[in-house]
Amino acid sequence: MSAAPVIVIGAGGHAKVVIELIREGGEYEVVGVLDADPTRREVLGAPVVGDDSALPGLRREGIENAFVALGDNRLRLKVGRRAEAAGFFLVNAVSRRAAVSPTARIGAGVAIMAGAVVNADSWIEDFAVLNTNAGIDHDCVLGEASHVGPGSALAGGVKVGRLAFLGVGTLAIPGVSIGEGSVIGAGACVTRDIPAGVLAYGAPAQVIRPLDGAGR
Ligand code: JB3
């Protein structure tokens, strides 16, 4: 059966990894990329065919699948919901070199990179990213459009709030929760609950300051 066409939204570094995952999977063919930068012409040989305003026309041309490959969580969620509203099905990009439990629940528009591990009864919501060599153990929840950075390790029952960002090498002990929109700095070790909307880092992770409405 021939691969179904898919549009990748975003032409940056994250998109490069996603495009390779999609190609590795073989189920979809990247027929075009959309990017806000009009100077972009191609990414890994895939043509940049316009910006997001091209979505309705591409859907009218019969393309049904899209993937949002934008690393910024808020932007990925906004653009993802826009693509859904334009009638696209948001496919997942899951590496063949990832290990995903059969009892895990995976939403739409999810990226699971090479070496990632998703253990029993975990739940990864729409537009979440589980990056390279990151592991989440049993009963974890990755909220909508959250990001778990490369090499992170979440023990059992860790809850990551929607839009939260966990930097590279984040560790989290069993059962802790990380609040909506919070940013956990690289190498942090989360040993107690982190409230929503804050920057935290260190081992053990300490709340450094609140974030503004844009998550900065
Ligand atoms: O750390 C890792 C492993 N990956 C990072 C990832 C999670 O986030 C990566 O290193 C980057 O920090 C980031 O990846 P991303 O989002 O690809 O970043 P960047 O390389 O800056 O590319 C962002 C692209 O999005 C640029 O080409 C922008 O022009 C484009 N862009 C910005 N806004 C947009 C929009 N494209 C579309 N289609 N729509 C927009 O609204």
Side-chain angles (χ1 to χ4, degrees), residues 9-15 34-37 40 52 70-71 75 79 131 147 150:
I9 304 175
H14 188 54
L34 301 179
D35 198 275
D37 177 353
R40 302 302 305 271
D52 299 348
L70 298 167
L75 179 62
V79 174
N131 225 313
H147 173 274

Side-chain angles (χ1 to χ4, degrees), residues 59 97-98 130 164 174 181 216:
R59 186 68 191 86
R97 291 161 287 157
L130 186 61
R216 293 181 174 79

Side-chain angles (χ1 to χ4, degrees), residues 22-79:
I22 291 173
R23 287 173 174 166
E24 174 193 73
E27 187 178 355
Y28 301 101
E29 179 191 3
V30 180
V31 295
V33 177
L34 301 179
D35 198 275
D37 177 353
T39 67
R40 302 302 305 271
R41 292 285 170 265
E42 57 82 36
V43 54
L44 296 183
V48 176
V49 296
D51 61 25
D52 299 348
S53 65
L55 281 167
L58 290 165
R59 186 68 191 86
R60 284 193 298 275
E61 287 173 20
I63 297 177
E64 298 177 342
N65 304 305
F67 188 91
V68 184
L70 298 167
D72 179 280
N73 290 345
R74 281 171 172 74
L75 179 62
R76 183 168 70 252
L77 181 59
K78 183 186 79 171
V79 174

Side-chain angles (χ1 to χ4, degrees), residues 56-132:
L58 290 165
R59 186 68 191 86
R60 284 193 298 275
E61 287 173 20
I63 297 177
E64 298 177 342
N65 304 305
F67 188 91
V68 184
L70 298 167
D72 179 280
N73 290 345
R74 281 171 172 74
L75 179 62
R76 183 168 70 252
L77 181 59
K78 183 186 79 171
V79 174
R81 295 304 181 206
R82 184 178 179 190
E84 275 180 339
F88 284 90
F89 174 71
L90 278 298
V91 304
N92 291 329
V94 180
S95 172
R96 282 184 170 171
R97 291 161 287 157
V100 179
S101 160
T103 60
R105 286 173 290 162
I106 311 292
V110 168
I112 300 177
M113 307 314 196
V117 176
V118 181
N119 274 341
D121 270 351
S122 281
W123 181 10
I124 302 183
E125 296 185 6
D126 293 357
F127 306 114
V129 175
L130 186 61
N131 225 313
T132 311

